[in-house]
Amino acid sequence: MVERVLATEEALALIEQLKEKHGPVMFHQSGGCCDGSSPMCYPDGDLIIGDQDVLLGEIGGAKFYMHKNQFEYWKHTQLIIDVVDGRGGMFSLEGVLGKRFLTRSRAFSNEEMWNSN
């Protein structure tokens, strides 16, 4: 089974750091303008997940959701969550650390499309 969302070692280390400080965390990528186009990290449960959100998987023990409209654009890709220096979304937990999560991607092969969760 091919995972829909993965994280780099740097992202996993940052997730662990955030979990140590804030407890369990979650991710959401809405696809809206500005901050919504970046993966946002929240304390688990701080963002209400609705019927319009798709659970893509987990990274570092944190659930990763995407709005279904955005998922339609990304359903043919594997998301790779990475970390870069700089300020990200103002509500995302990593922002105060001078880091931000970033979504990279790669297209699934035809075989992977049929074997992705």
Side-chain angles (χ1 to χ4, degrees):
M1 203 50 107
V2 179
E3 300 291 327
R4 285 202 171 273
V5 62
L6 301 173
T8 64
E9 290 299 319
E10 293 83 4
L12 292 172
L14 183 54
I15 292 167
E16 285 305 312
Q17 183 181 354
L18 294 172
K19 286 170 31 179
E20 287 174 14
K21 182 173 183 175
H22 301 281
V25 297
M26 62 179 287
F27 284 85
H28 189 272
Q29 187 165 332
S30 69
C33 70
C34 309
D35 291 347
S37 59
S38 297
M40 304 286 283
C41 183
Y42 303 99
D44 192 29
D46 270 18
L47 180 70
I48 297 172
I49 299 301
D51 294 342
Q52 302 291 310
D53 296 304
V54 177
L55 175 62
L56 299 184
E58 290 188 13
I59 53 173
K63 291 183 178 176
F64 192 101
Y65 297 91
M66 180 179 279
H67 190 275
K68 76 175 188 174
N69 291 341
Q70 183 70 1
F71 178 69
E72 282 301 309
Y73 293 111
W74 291 84
K75 67 184 176 184
H76 303 294
T77 63
Q78 181 177 58
L79 304 182
I80 301 129
I81 307 306
D82 201 359
V83 173
V84 294
D85 290 331
R87 295 285 304 198
M90 60 190 251
F91 297 113
S92 196
L93 292 174
E94 79 282 2
V96 297
L97 301 174
K99 303 281 185 185
R100 69 182 184 94
F101 288 106
L102 175 76
T103 301
R104 302 182 190 280
S105 65
R106 71 169 189 84
F108 283 129
S109 68
N110 286 337
E111 181 180 326
E112 288 175 320
M113 267 307 294
W114 297 108
N115 292 310
S116 59
N117 58 10

